Amino acid sequence: MKESIPLTWRKIPDRYRLIGSLCKNCNGYYFPARHVCPKCRRKGRIESYQFSGRGRVFSFTEIHAAPAGFEDQIPYVMAIVELAEGARCTGEIVDVLGKDVQIGDEVEMVFRKIQSNDPEGLIHYGFKFKKVKR
Amino acid sequence: MVGIVGYGAYVPKYRIKSEVIAKVWGEDPDRIKKGLGINEKAIASSDEDAATLAVEAAKIALQRAGIAPKKLGALYVGSESHPYAVKPTATIVAEAIGATPDLTAADLEFACKAGTAGIQICMGMVGAGMIEYGMAIGTDTSQGRPGDALEYSTGCGAAAYIIGKDAESLAIIEDTHSFTTDTPDFWRRNKADYPSHGGRFTGPPAYFKHVKAAALGLMRKMNTKVEDYDYFVFHQPNGKFPRAVAKMLGVPPEKIADGLLTPNIGNTYSGASPIGLANVLDVAKAGDRIFVTSFGSGAGSDAFSIKVTDKIKNREKGKPVSEFIAHKEYVDYATYAKYRRKFKGM
Ligand SMILES: [Zn+2]
């Protein structure tokens, strides 16, 4: 599958810095970014918002059958993270196995390679999460 | 004058012990450990590279400096393991820390001293009033040929320095001096996976000659002597060379202890003397003076005379090097080979 360079490029700031949306009308936070607030619709006042990157594990699973391009990374942990601001996003938890993770664990964003398998293609970077030691 | 407004270091979590590598190649582990002075080295995970290491270090430097990333007028990333052959690492780092788009950025290469070369460029730009703040990063995920002596030493790590005006600095850079010649001690041709080196030739005519000349040159220029400094950081390709050069210069062992991390994380190349300096800044007091001398094969050395100010208390805002060193997990040779993509066809 040939990748779309413009599509990759458009998503770089959001993926690199965890930029989503904040609705100034209802104080709702969204990731990925939205153009329209799903609650307020036309009354919404959507702004770009960079998340702090802090959050908690809402749910997680250890991946053993990886999608194409991620095969050499198994096993790895994918989680739904509830960000401190309220939005939920999906991301990998790095440097751990499933046995090391519990629901509610505190995590923070890290910057990692997402996919880089094609030796002549682009290296895709973006956010993942790391457990915060307590 | 100019100085260090913020600094940050990052060392990845995984470690491999020298004896594990020695066993694979049928070498005597004690001979290797004693000969090289390296117990274990830090290795990056399969989803880390010189760019991601740089970003983690840069974020800590920004926390300590307490400045908005957009205030950076320049960003230089020094490495010999830039992820792309063509496509600047500095653009990736600048975007990831939110410093884009109003800044100049470029990648630097000078074996293990590309990071300190970046510090000098930023010193010049801040000193000339071209920019308010500049960031220089030394980062590497270097590789040694499997079975080569280098395989025991090549580690992964990064450190970032924000250079700004002296009044805002947690440490003032009093002066710098460099020594550069064409010395073929270590090289890697385009498309070669691993570097080649001159074996014993990497010692006296390369490392020792350049480190000594830069260090003595700076002390002569400033009219200072070893006794004027509380800490020394030397480039550390292994655990042995920095101890030997300290002895040659008359530096007592206790003054190099805090800046010598290679025995526990390996030679992090462009990150090596910058991470050593970060570990010294983590413990130094206001008024302390630090002498740093990097070395890059090829060859050259940059020496710096640094004086800690009372703004050093800003270090509390960032994670110290010691936490990264303590937070570790050992891997076996097969996992290491997979993470560092040493298998053919990967
Ligand atoms: Zn709304």
Side-chain angles (χ1 to χ4, degrees):
Chain A
M1 190 184 70
K2 195 99 175 83
E3 72 170 296
S4 160
I5 303 290
L7 191 66
T8 298
W9 170 70
R10 265 200 301 279
K11 287 182 176 168
I12 279 179
D14 294 13
R15 280 193 184 147
Y16 280 20
R17 301 204 295 274
L18 207 57
I19 295 173
S21 307
L22 161 64
C23 173
K24 288 273 192 164
N25 191 47
C26 67
N27 220 26
Y29 290 87
Y30 304 101
F31 189 91
R34 291 177 183 248
H35 295 292
V36 179
C37 175
K39 265 195 269 174
C40 312
R41 302 282 172 188
R42 276 210 318 271
K43 276 187 276 175
R45 286 187 292 136
I46 283 278
E47 281 184 7
S48 179
Y49 177 82
Q50 183 173 336
F51 285 89
S52 66
R54 294 223 156 220
R56 282 180 191 283
V57 174
F58 179 75
S59 77
F60 70 96
T61 181
E62 192 176 89
I63 308 283
H64 291 272
F70 297 86
E71 299 93 337
D72 62 349
Q73 295 184 31
I74 56 164
Y76 62 93
V77 177
M78 288 298 291
I80 297 173
V81 169
E82 185 158 80
L83 297 166
E85 292 87 345
R88 281 177 198 161
C89 72
T90 306
E92 185 181 333
I93 315 252
V94 302
D95 296 349
V96 291
L97 292 172
K99 66 175 171 55
D100 308 316
V101 184
Q102 283 185 316
I103 287 171
D105 276 353
E106 217 178 306
V107 293
E108 64 183 4
M109 183 206 147
V110 290
F111 182 75
R112 294 278 175 119
K113 280 192 286 189
I114 306 289
Q115 225 261 48
S116 57
N117 273 33
D118 177 0
E120 298 197 1
L122 286 177
I123 303 170
H124 297 257
Y125 296 95
F127 68 85
K128 293 186 180 180
F129 293 93
K130 181 176 78 175
K131 271 181 70 170
V132 178
K133 277 187 298 143
R134 282 280 157 223
Chain B
M1 266 204 285
V2 300
I4 299 162
V5 176
Y7 70 95
Y10 175 81
V11 179
K13 181 186 174 189
Y14 298 102
R15 303 282 184 279
I16 187 161
K17 290 185 172 166
S18 293
E19 56 229 54
V20 173
I21 302 175
K23 212 183 254 173
V24 170
W25 303 110
E27 299 271 2
D28 173 9
D30 284 329
R31 196 184 63 84
I32 295 282
K33 271 163 79 173
K34 272 203 201 92
L36 292 171
I38 295 172
N39 306 317
E40 57 197 50
K41 65 171 188 172
I43 53 178
S45 178
S46 58
D47 63 352
E48 294 184 295
D49 64 15
T52 68
L53 266 47
V55 169
E56 299 301 326
K59 285 182 179 173
I60 298 172
L62 284 164
Q63 287 167 1
R64 286 196 169 115
I67 63 163
K70 293 220 184 305
K71 288 207 144 188
L72 295 173
L75 176 69
Y76 295 100
V77 180
S79 180
E80 64 115 64
S81 47
H82 289 292
Y84 287 95
V86 178
K87 166 95 182 77
T89 311
T91 57
I92 301 165
V93 176
E95 192 73 56
I97 63 173
T100 49
D102 293 317
L103 83 165
T104 180
D107 288 359
L108 303 176
E109 236 177 277
F110 197 143
C112 300
K113 84 159 189 83
T116 57
I119 292 176
Q120 290 179 324
I121 296 172
C122 288
M123 286 173 67
M125 294 179 83
V126 172
M130 286 172 69
I131 56 171
E132 193 178 2
Y133 303 101
M135 181 183 274
I137 303 174
T139 179
D140 262 308
T141 55
S142 298
Q143 299 251 33
R145 194 184 303 276
D148 187 85
L150 270 182
E151 202 187 4
Y152 297 95
S153 60
T154 47
C156 303
Y161 286 83
I162 299 173
I163 306 301
K165 291 185 194 76
D166 54 356
E168 299 170 47
S169 296
L170 51 83
I172 290 167
I173 305 179
E174 299 173 304
D175 209 343
T176 180
H177 179 76
S178 295
F179 184 84
T180 309
T181 71
D182 183 345
T183 303
D185 57 325
F186 176 98
W187 63 92
R188 177 165 65 84
R189 292 284 295 268
N190 236 347
K191 293 181 182 157
D193 286 337
Y194 300 110
S196 302
H197 57 83
R200 285 182 199 283
F201 187 73
T202 57
Y207 179 87
F208 293 105
K209 176 181 164 183
H210 291 77
V211 169
K212 274 197 295 187
L216 293 171
L218 181 55
M219 285 195 244
R220 201 177 313 120
K221 188 174 164 191
M222 295 180 66
N223 200 20
T224 55
K225 47 191 189 308
V226 167
E227 293 71 43
D228 296 328
Y229 296 96
D230 303 281
Y231 298 94
F232 282 78
V233 181
F234 294 110
H235 176 53
Q236 33 205 282
N238 50 49
K240 241 176 128 172
F241 280 18
R243 289 190 178 104
V245 85
K247 204 169 171 190
M248 290 174 193
L249 291 166
V251 176
E254 63 271 18
K255 288 192 181 181
I256 65 163
D258 287 301
L260 180 52
L261 303 174
T262 290
N264 297 319
I265 61 172
N267 174 14
T268 53
Y269 280 58
S270 303
S273 41
I275 299 177
L277 172 59
N279 198 48
V280 168
L281 289 170
D282 283 347
V283 296
K285 305 182 300 293
D288 282 350
R289 283 173 98 183
I290 307 165
F291 198 93
V292 182
T293 311
S294 66
F295 171 73
S297 288
S301 273
D302 303 325
F304 300 85
S305 177
I306 295 168
K307 190 170 190 173
V308 180
T309 75
D310 54 11
K311 292 209 163 47
I312 192 68
K313 59 181 183 290
N314 289 341
R315 72 182 170 209
E316 303 306 326
K317 294 188 271 183
K319 197 166 162 178
V321 180
S322 57
E323 273 189 40
F324 288 106
I325 291 180
H327 183 55
K328 63 184 172 184
E329 184 179 326
Y330 291 106
V331 297
D332 57 22
Y333 194 86
T335 307
Y336 157 70
K338 179 181 159 189
Y339 282 177
R340 304 311 309 142
R341 305 187 81 81
K342 284 175 184 288
F343 294 119
K344 270 271 185 246
M346 260 185 102

